[in-house]
Amino acid sequence: MSRRLHIEVFRYNPLDPNSEPHMQSFYVNEYDSMTLFIALNLIRDEQDPTVQFDFCCRAGICGSCGMVINGRPGLACHTQTKDLPDHIVLHPLPVFKLIGDLSVDTGTWFRDAGARIEAWVHNDHDDFDASAEEVRMENDLANDIFELDRCIECGCCVSACGTARMREDFLGATSIARIARFYLDPRDERNEENYYQVIGNDQGVFGCMGLLGCEDVCPKHIPLQDQLGIMRRMLAIHSVKGILPKRVLDKLKHKGCCHESH
Amino acid sequence: MQIIYSDLLCIGAGLAGERVAVEAAKAGFNVTCLSIVPPRRSHSSAAQGGMQAALGNAIMGDGDCPDIHFADTVKGSDWGCDQEVARIFADTAPIVMREVAHWGVPWNRVEAGVHTYYKGGKPFDAEEKRDKHGLIHARAFGGTAKWRTCYTADGTGRSVLNTLDSMCLRYEVGIHDRTQAEALIHDGENCLGAIVRCLKTGELKAYLATATLIATGGYGRIYRATTNAVICDGGGQIAALDTGLVPMGNMEAIQFHPTGTVPTDILVTEGCRGDGGTLLDVNEYRFMPDYEPEKAELASRDVVSRRMQEHIRKGLGVKSPYGDHLWLDIRHLGEKHITTKLREVYDICTNFLGVNPIHDLIPVRPTQHYSMGGIRTNKDGAAYGLKGLFSAGESACWDMHGFNRLGGNSLAETVVAGRYVGKKIVEFLQGHTVDFKQSAINDAHTKVAARIMEMTKSSSKQESAIQLRDEMHSTMMDNVGIFRNGKDLQAAVDKLDELIDRSKSIKLQGTAIGFNPEISLALRIPGMLKLAQCTAYGALMRTESRGAHTREDFPERNDKEWLNRTLAYWKDGETRPELKYEETTPYFEIPPGERGYGGGKIIAADIPEEKLQVPGKGTDKKKAKQTKKAS
Amino acid sequence: MDASTLTLHVRKNGAGVGRLDVMQMLSGVLLIVFLWAHLMLVSSVLISPKLMDAIAWFFEATYMAQVGGPLIGLLIFTHFLLAARKMPWRASETNAFVKHSVMMHHKDTWLWLAQVATALLILVMASIHMWVVLTDLPITAVKSAARIQSGTWLPFYLVLLPLAEIHVGIGFYRIGVKYGYITKANRKWYQRLENYMMGGFITIGLITLIRFLFLTV
Ligand SMILES: Cc1cc2nc3c(=O)[nH]c(=O)nc-3n(C[C@H](O)[C@H](O)[C@H](O)COP(=O)(O)OP(=O)(O)OC[C@H]3O[C@@H](n4cnc5c(N)ncnc54)[C@H](O)[C@@H]3O)c2cc1C
Ligand code: HEM
Ligand code: SF4
Ligand code: SF4
Ligand code: FES
């Protein structure tokens, strides 16, 4: 079946004043179980040692290798070439600062977002008693929290989000899912008002326009859509507390999908 | 050159690096973490299985305690570990698991009632106790007497790393990612920080610090087939070795994991076998019980890997274009179990192998996985040779693993050592000041800058870093693998001599302004060759078989002559390390004996009576140990 | 004036943005209900022009048309103000979004662009339509038919009808998504529903227009 793949790679080195953004073509022979990780490394080893791209785990678990593959953000290491046409076009993820070629600075973006939403369990960390047994938790709840902890911060969802593309300070679905993780977690002592202060704005949940690009590209299938809905509803209801009767609000809150029953 | 000062410089921001960082930052010190990738992408995130700690909540771990964990660890190490350290580890592990739970790790919990579990491929029912409901649960892992491995589904590394990284955010640890430490700054006595290359701009910077921690993980990339990430190239070990003062411990102790997948070498977790997965040969026959009637697939890693290799050598492997392999069978665990508890495994199989593990067998073979050896430290995590230099995690040879580490013990080591060493570093920082000598900074900087200059200049040099890397890979794969012998090892050592020599004339193939990925490899290769040589030469000299180090020509474990630890020093300009040996452990809480699996003959040692006593505890060990060592 | 009113750099405790979002959603919901009700009223002509006249008479006799009409106008205006916060008014934003849609070839992303585009046209056309109808009360089937048969109004309605239905259909789906009523599990089903609804309402609207076209004045 061996095909000859035509791989077009975006090239631009922002540090080089003579560098102009352009597409460069490479040709690689395909073989069995080939992934874009293998193909790009072949290109770097054999054709052009200066191509910049990022891989780390090469197993789809670290999130380093997000890039735009034929128009869709995805992980290069878990994209098998056999699932692609023989013409493959690779771009760096938009939104994030370009380091060079296919490499972008997701680290700074995610750290900044994490700081803005205060992405840690808010409790008295020093209140830990080494001799006491751990506080108990239901296993189902632990699983629900882990479900959201599985995000690998690849940035695909942010790059697939039209809102993030238009508005630089939008926190993106990943950050909202991250807050949802803390909202679920009984160890985090923040209340609804605290969460409202960090994401109850146009940079947070209310900025999301429900386009679901995020949901449709997330390589880890994090339930972004459902979490966006849950958080938006929770915070919207929070904002009109005191206007509508409490009974009505409670009813609205528990309608539809939700983990809130836990 | 930009100079950045901190109290503590953590080179590496995986679990070990971040745990230490949190400890120091909480104590009010200014901490900077360096990492090649954003911290959450560190290879710790890839660890799926779990962390061992004797909590004894699960019914299958009922009655577990640090003593049993300690004994398993010592046996696992084939008596190659430092028993004082292993003791600290086993005693502290439960506390650390609870501590990270307090900070947010969503450990799986005990659910009271009857559950179906698997052992050796057979389902059985067990009833979890009501009074343990909601406490941290545990699963089975190889080489343990009890089910002791705490886990979060199959993303333990991910969730603990997320939690620690969130703590770093909370305590304002400075994270400088996309940086790579190239050399340590030292004055011959004190470590003063590191010269660091920025991977965004290619610039060199000096990071000065009163204390420096190396927590850069393993160096699996000296092998071609490894489960390690592409960044696991031993940068930290190289920087330490290059000082000529800091020795590497037990570099010949390399662990091969039984279930690296073919052809991509991506690991599928031991949890597969822990949950009841079995190994099959070309005839789809389950062969492990024939070799290891009691533990079968759940014997320790070195044993299973060796048995697999043995079986393949008998011609019973499955032929494939990528070499012979065996099968891992988890089909009987069922769709629900595979897509929830082993979801990451499911994803790997479908995304990378095109195999659906619910219906198909998974192609596996033993693959390089873990480096027991590394920067030799004392029990406080302080490196030999330089004051102010510490190491923790896989990069260190703290030495609780000896010649074989147990599954689930290394991830636990990162946080347990992280906490323990972190406290020691805090003590060190509280009582220590240091002079940052300009000359030392300049020396270190000049050395790195000169190497880069050399490679860029057009001259008679022509070695390609990629070529050298490929030759190193072939040598290590062919001659320093699971089964070793004098002839192959000698060939490897000779070849590495040659490669080390050639690595002095590396020349870049391309040019780029700013960051150039080719320089990263070119800078690393000479050091990786040295680590490879420490491994090969250490293995050649160690004429016995112990743990993962298996010599076909010396099959017995020789406690008489080799109950010791190899220390490899590298003097500037040499092609081989200088080897020294030190005692394995200050005392034997458990005297050398049979592991109970793996077979093999033992040449016994005469151990003086005083070495068999735990200092301060006399012979009445049991009682003293029951009281947990809280800190 | 409290301490937080001067500097922008303190935590805000106001519920502002959340309330605006709720109001936008409510204005959307009301408009959906209105539009469908409106369509039902008009298409009653299909059953009989007399029925349509009777309904129109009822609305006027109770002064619902005279008061409700302008109220709907106000509602549309309010909705416009609220929704406009999200529109890509800056060229750079439009540019970025269009580029993004082209890159992604992703349906839901295109749909939003469709909603923005239809919105602008509706703003103009709905205003004209309302002005014309409400300044020429009473509403009767004959008057409407006359307008449509006059020529210029037919193309006008042929454009406005699908625009409004598309805008509302997408709006319905997206309110569901944004507020978490449409979930991962039932999204496919709602997407289908959205299509059927848009198709169905446009068809009813078209048939109604045809009926007017052939209604003897
Ligand atoms: C696939 C896989 C699965 C595993 N599963 C388990 C398991 O289930 N249970 C278990 O106990 N163990 C497991 N292990 C082993 C365990 O994960 C590792 O030993 C452990 O995570 C190492 O952690 P660390 O903090 O020491 O290093 P790492 O997590 O590897 O972190 C190293 C850090 O150092 C940085 N770094 C490296 N070089 C430099 C440099 N030159 N300059 C600056 N920074 C640098 C990196 O960027 C990174 O931040 C597994 C290992 C692998 C490969
Ligand atoms: C007057 C001109 C109008 C403009 C400028 C306008 C603009 C918009 C815009 C930009 C949106 C998207 C908002 C977002 O993405 O958050 C929207 C949503 C919507 N519009 Fe309009 N619209 C207009 C008239 C109408 C009319 C007449 C109706 C119905 C009869 C209507 C029904 C809706 C609905 C149901 C939504 C979804 C609400 C939401 O997402 O919260 N609109 N509108
Ligand atoms: S939510 Fe999904 S797409 Fe977004 S960063 Fe996390 S893993 Fe990537
Ligand atoms: S649903 Fe929200 S976060 Fe996701 S892509 Fe759309 S606008 Fe962005
Ligand atoms: S390299 Fe880690 S996710 Fe692709």
Side-chain angles (χ1 to χ4, degrees):
Chain A
M1 79 159 195
S2 181
R3 298 184 295 171
R4 192 157 172 78
L5 301 174
H6 174 196
I7 303 183
E8 259 189 275
V9 178
F10 173 86
R11 299 299 306 269
Y12 176 53
N13 178 356
L15 293 177
D16 182 349
N18 295 321
S19 168
E20 286 289 332
H22 66 283
M23 300 303 293
Q24 184 175 354
S25 287
F26 297 98
Y27 295 87
V28 179
N29 289 330
E30 184 180 38
Y31 41 78
D32 268 358
S33 311
M34 189 180 228
T35 60
L36 283 181
F37 164 70
I38 299 176
L40 281 169
N41 275 295
L42 271 180
I43 290 175
R44 185 145 86 186
D45 280 2
E46 291 171 6
Q47 304 186 32
D48 187 339
T50 62
V51 193
Q52 289 192 50
F53 49 74
D54 297 314
F55 287 100
C56 177
C57 69
R58 55 79 181 86
I61 26 191
C62 78
S64 294
C65 63
M67 56 181 73
V68 179
I69 304 160
N70 286 352
R72 280 285 174 111
L75 295 180
C77 74
H78 91 170
T79 303
Q80 290 178 272
T81 53
K82 76 169 163 53
D83 298 332
L84 297 172
D86 52 16
H87 183 196
I88 300 168
V89 183
L90 303 176
H91 282 276
L93 290 181
V95 182
F96 302 100
K97 185 163 184 270
L98 182 70
I99 291 177
D101 302 342
L102 299 175
S103 172
V104 295
D105 189 355
T106 44
T108 306
W109 192 96
F110 275 95
R111 218 158 26 250
D112 175 55
R116 280 163 65 196
I117 62 173
E118 303 186 359
W120 57 84
V121 167
H122 285 54
N123 63 17
D124 182 354
H125 299 131
D126 293 324
D127 179 26
F128 170 69
D129 178 357
S131 57
E133 124 186 322
E134 62 273 20
V135 177
R136 293 175 193 239
M137 183 186 265
E138 285 303 315
N139 192 48
D140 286 342
L141 176 57
N143 278 328
D144 286 343
I145 295 173
F146 176 67
E147 185 68 12
L148 300 180
D149 242 350
R150 285 168 44 246
C151 168
I152 56 174
E153 305 195 345
C154 60
C156 291
C157 57
V158 179
S159 293
C161 172
T163 311
R165 197 91 179 247
M166 286 195 295
R167 315 209 195 287
E168 242 178 84
D169 55 359
F170 183 54
L171 283 163
T174 170
S175 311
I176 291 161
R178 178 100 69 90
I179 278 286
R181 178 237 178 275
F182 293 108
Y183 176 57
L184 272 181
D185 195 331
R187 293 167 293 200
D188 195 313
E189 290 161 2
R190 281 182 280 185
N191 59 23
E192 291 185 0
E193 176 59 25
N194 299 141
Y195 291 119
Y196 192 89
Q197 284 176 359
V198 287
I199 57 165
N201 48 39
D202 282 327
Q203 291 76 47
V205 272
F206 299 124
C208 162
M209 303 196 297
L211 311 177
L212 298 189
C214 53
E215 169 88 8
D216 293 338
V217 300
C218 175
K220 291 278 128 183
H221 308 292
I222 309 287
L224 296 171
Q225 172 183 0
D226 293 354
Q227 292 306 323
L228 286 166
I230 291 170
M231 294 310 281
R232 187 184 207 119
R233 192 158 37 161
M234 185 271 280
L235 293 176
I237 290 172
H238 178 77
S239 77
V240 294
K241 248 182 204 154
I243 300 181
L244 290 181
K246 198 169 169 318
R247 252 183 342 136
V248 178
L249 291 179
D250 284 348
K251 223 184 187 142
L252 284 172
K253 213 167 169 177
H254 292 289
K255 190 83 196 309
C257 81
C258 64
H259 293 277
E260 281 148 21
S261 50
H262 297 305
Chain B
M1 181 177 51
Q2 196 184 347
I3 295 183
I4 295 139
Y5 173 82
S6 3
D7 295 321
L8 170 64
L9 176 67
C10 291
I11 305 176
L15 283 176
E18 289 207 321
R19 183 62 189 83
V20 170
V22 167
E23 196 64 41
K26 282 181 87 202
F29 289 102
N30 173 329
V31 185
T32 305
C33 279
L34 307 179
S35 176
I36 298 178
V37 290
R40 291 184 188 208
R41 311 212 192 293
S42 299
H43 204 49
S44 293
S45 68
Q48 305 164 326
M51 297 188 177
Q52 285 206 41
L55 289 158
N57 297 326
I59 188 66
M60 296 302 294
D62 199 29
D64 199 7
C65 67
D67 289 343
I68 307 179
H69 188 185
F70 170 72
D72 281 344
T73 303
V74 173
K75 274 185 217 161
S77 80
D78 222 355
W79 275 269
C81 72
D82 181 325
Q83 296 198 8
E84 192 182 7
V85 168
R87 179 42 90 177
I88 294 172
F89 166 75
D91 285 350
T92 325
I95 298 170
V96 179
M97 299 309 130
R98 293 189 183 117
E99 187 178 51
V100 293
H102 180 60
W103 293 346
V105 173
W107 295 118
N108 277 86
R109 303 298 179 126
V110 176
E111 287 179 290
V114 179
H115 294 265
T116 303
Y117 296 121
Y118 285 86
K119 192 165 197 169
K122 296 214 174 56
F124 64 94
D125 284 346
E127 183 170 357
E128 297 289 355
K129 290 186 186 161
R130 181 130 300 275
D131 65 327
K132 301 286 186 189
H133 184 81
L135 297 177
I136 299 170
H137 198 227
R139 59 158 56 131
F141 247 35
T144 63
K146 301 275 181 187
W147 288 23
R148 183 187 298 132
T149 308
C150 313
Y151 64 101
T152 54
D154 56 4
T156 311
R158 160 69 49 216
S159 68
V160 181
L161 189 57
N162 282 2
T163 299
L164 289 184
D165 194 47
S166 75
M167 292 294 281
C168 284
L169 201 61
R170 160 71 182 81
Y171 291 98
E172 295 177 2
V173 170
I175 303 279
H176 295 209
D177 63 18
R178 288 184 183 267
T179 54
Q180 187 153 16
E182 295 295 347
L184 293 179
I185 303 170
H186 68 93
D187 58 12
E189 209 172 302
N190 301 291
C191 180
L192 307 172
I195 297 293
V196 174
R197 182 160 165 265
C198 170
L199 304 182
K200 293 176 193 166
T201 61
E203 224 177 308
L204 293 181
K205 300 178 183 177
Y207 281 76
L208 301 183
T210 311
T212 303
L213 171 88
I214 298 182
T216 51
Y219 55 95
R221 285 282 150 184
I222 61 172
Y223 287 84
R224 181 180 297 117
T226 170
T227 61
N228 287 194
V230 297
I231 62 165
C232 296
D233 56 12
Q237 290 90 331
I238 295 169
L241 189 64
D242 276 345
T243 61
L245 302 167
V246 181
M248 300 294 119
N250 278 350
M251 294 294 274
E252 61 271 34
I254 299 269
Q255 182 174 75
F256 288 79
H257 195 287
T259 53
T261 54
V262 182
T264 39
D265 307 314
I266 299 172
L267 177 83
V268 295
T269 171
E270 186 150 304
C272 289
R273 280 172 297 129
D275 289 359
T278 54
L279 291 168
L280 308 180
D281 65 13
V282 65
N283 305 316
E284 301 195 10
Y285 170 73
R286 185 175 167 212
F287 57 91
M288 277 307 291
D290 295 352
Y291 295 100
E292 299 293 328
E294 203 178 313
K295 297 233 164 189
E297 280 85 358
L298 292 179
S300 77
R301 284 193 181 152
D302 56 329
V303 173
V304 178
S305 293
R306 224 177 306 130
R307 297 305 195 188
M308 287 169 76
Q309 197 64 27
E310 204 174 328
H311 206 65
I312 289 177
R313 281 194 180 180
K314 285 184 187 161
L316 292 166
V318 184
K319 302 259 178 291
S320 88
Y322 306 99
D324 292 2
H325 63 78
L326 294 160
W327 298 116
L328 172 65
D329 184 7
I330 58 170
R331 296 174 297 186
H332 50 283
L333 301 183
E335 177 161 354
K336 176 150 180 274
H337 190 100
I338 294 174
T339 53
T340 55
K341 291 234 156 129
L342 297 170
R343 174 158 66 185
E344 225 61 34
V345 174
Y346 177 78
D347 287 349
I348 287 170
C349 290
T350 47
N351 291 330
F352 300 90
L353 309 178
V355 162
N356 179 350
I358 299 170
H359 306 295
D360 303 324
L361 297 170
I362 309 169
V364 294
R365 69 177 163 211
T367 303
Q368 192 287 339
H369 182 53
Y370 186 81
S371 358
M372 271 74 73
I375 299 164
R376 176 64 186 141
T377 70
N378 66 14
K379 69 175 181 201
D380 296 342
Y384 287 17
L386 278 178
K387 225 195 261 154
L389 179 64
F390 296 81
S391 184
E394 190 172 344
S395 60
C397 180
W398 192 33
D399 220 4
M400 52 165 280
H401 302 302
F403 277 77
N404 177 58
R405 66 113 186 171
L406 296 182
N409 254 0
S410 59
L411 213 52
E413 178 193 9
T414 60
V415 282
V416 173
R419 183 179 196 262
Y420 188 84
V421 173
K423 287 185 192 299
K424 297 293 173 189
I425 291 178
V426 167
E427 281 169 26
F428 174 83
L429 286 172
Q430 278 160 347
H432 196 81
T433 51
V434 72
D435 275 337
F436 296 105
K437 299 196 183 68
Q438 193 65 41
S439 57
I441 305 170
N442 287 344
D443 277 359
H445 173 255
T446 315
K447 256 189 212 152
V448 180
R451 284 182 58 201
I452 297 177
M453 273 300 283
E454 289 271 298
M455 298 187 300
T456 346
K457 269 198 316 227
S458 55
S459 67
S460 55
K461 302 184 165 185
Q462 70 273 307
E463 290 295 344
S464 132
I466 293 167
Q467 174 71 25
L468 292 174
R469 179 198 64 193
D470 290 349
E471 288 185 37
M472 168 180 72
H473 281 165
S474 301
T475 307
M476 296 305 286
M477 295 301 297
D478 294 346
N479 296 331
V480 199
I482 300 181
F483 284 106
R484 302 166 171 181
N485 61 59
K487 186 168 137 280
D488 290 351
L489 288 170
Q490 187 62 54
V493 168
D494 293 343
K495 178 72 186 175
L496 289 167
D497 278 348
E498 175 209 319
L499 293 178
I500 288 168
D501 201 42
R502 281 165 57 193
S503 73
K504 291 175 187 136
S505 0
I506 293 179
K507 163 129 174 53
L508 299 184
Q509 316 290 303
T511 51
I513 289 176
F515 172 70
N516 179 354
E518 198 188 355
I519 295 185
S520 305
L521 181 69
L523 276 174
R524 205 102 327 227
I525 282 297
M528 289 173 78
L529 285 165
K530 288 183 192 171
L531 297 182
Q533 184 66 299
C534 289
T535 306
Y537 191 55
L540 175 65
M541 298 323 260
R542 183 172 285 274
T543 48
E544 65 153 354
S545 294
R546 184 183 297 274
H549 172 68
T550 307
R551 287 285 297 256
E552 292 167 304
D553 40 357
F554 296 94
E556 47 302 290
R557 186 179 95 195
N558 187 343
D559 286 347
K560 202 167 191 142
E561 288 167 68
W562 288 106
L563 199 54
N564 60 18
R565 179 177 302 105
T566 312
L567 296 180
Y569 292 80
W570 202 290
K571 296 276 174 285
D572 208 21
E574 299 290 322
T575 57
R576 284 190 196 172
E578 179 187 338
L579 298 187
K580 294 182 182 166
Y581 294 90
E582 68 171 4
E583 280 185 340
T584 303
T585 176
Y587 53 82
F588 291 89
E589 194 175 329
I590 304 179
E594 290 272 359
R595 291 168 100 187
Y597 45 79
K601 235 180 77 196
I602 297 172
I603 300 174
D606 298 326
I607 295 170
E609 187 53 32
E610 73 271 14
K611 287 264 170 203
L612 294 173
Q613 315 230 326
V614 180
K617 285 183 188 165
T619 36
D620 191 10
K621 285 174 280 177
K622 277 280 175 304
K623 244 180 233 138
K625 277 163 346 204
Q626 290 299 342
T627 45
K628 278 193 194 109
K629 230 194 263 167
S631 62
Chain C
M1 224 197 260
D2 67 42
S4 68
T5 50
L6 286 179
T7 172
L8 296 173
H9 301 275
V10 291
R11 275 228 166 118
K12 308 221 172 26
N13 288 315
V17 184
R19 289 193 185 158
L20 290 179
D21 199 65
V22 173
M23 277 159 61
Q24 179 185 331
M25 183 263 292
L26 288 178
S27 72
V29 171
L30 289 175
L31 283 172
I32 295 175
V33 173
F34 162 73
L35 192 76
W36 291 345
H38 174 275
L39 193 73
M40 291 305 150
L41 299 186
V42 180
S43 60
S44 60
V45 74
L46 292 178
I47 300 174
S48 122
K50 287 226 179 66
L51 179 61
M52 178 179 159
D53 289 348
I55 295 175
W57 175 84
F58 168 77
F59 275 96
E60 274 156 53
T62 55
Y63 288 92
M64 271 162 81
Q66 292 87 328
V67 180
L71 275 185
I72 294 292
L74 198 64
L75 179 60
I76 293 182
F77 187 65
T78 313
H79 171 76
F80 162 69
L81 284 181
L82 290 167
R85 295 175 308 138
K86 308 283 166 165
M87 292 183 46
W89 293 114
R90 291 196 197 128
S92 61
E93 290 169 354
T94 318
N95 196 352
F97 200 92
V98 170
K99 250 201 189 138
H100 178 70
S101 309
V102 172
M103 169 189 108
M104 286 276 293
H105 44 83
H106 174 254
K107 190 170 130 223
D108 285 14
T109 303
W110 278 115
L111 286 184
W112 188 76
L113 216 47
Q115 207 177 17
V116 170
T118 51
L120 291 172
L121 293 168
I122 293 173
L123 178 59
V124 178
M125 296 176 81
S127 311
I128 298 175
H129 162 69
M130 281 177 43
W131 181 261
V132 169
V133 174
L134 293 178
T135 53
D136 188 22
L137 289 175
I139 298 170
T140 65
V142 173
K143 266 207 270 178
S144 298
R147 254 200 303 273
I148 285 166
Q149 291 169 21
S150 75
T152 40
W153 286 105
L154 181 63
F156 179 87
Y157 283 123
L158 279 178
V159 175
L160 180 56
L161 168 73
L163 286 184
E165 291 302 344
I166 289 174
H167 187 89
V168 164
I170 302 173
F172 171 80
Y173 167 72
R174 293 204 17 257
I175 287 178
V177 168
K178 288 202 279 195
Y179 278 84
Y181 290 96
I182 297 180
T183 60
K184 195 187 182 98
N186 62 22
R187 177 169 166 211
K188 282 243 156 55
W189 188 84
Y190 272 102
Q191 273 174 334
R192 225 171 309 133
L193 179 71
E194 177 200 354
N195 288 341
Y196 288 142
M197 254 169 21
M198 272 200 271
F201 284 117
I202 292 177
T203 317
I204 298 177
L206 282 178
I207 299 175
T208 309
L209 283 179
I210 294 170
R211 180 76 187 89
F212 276 126
L213 195 56
F214 294 102
L215 194 73
T216 37
V217 184

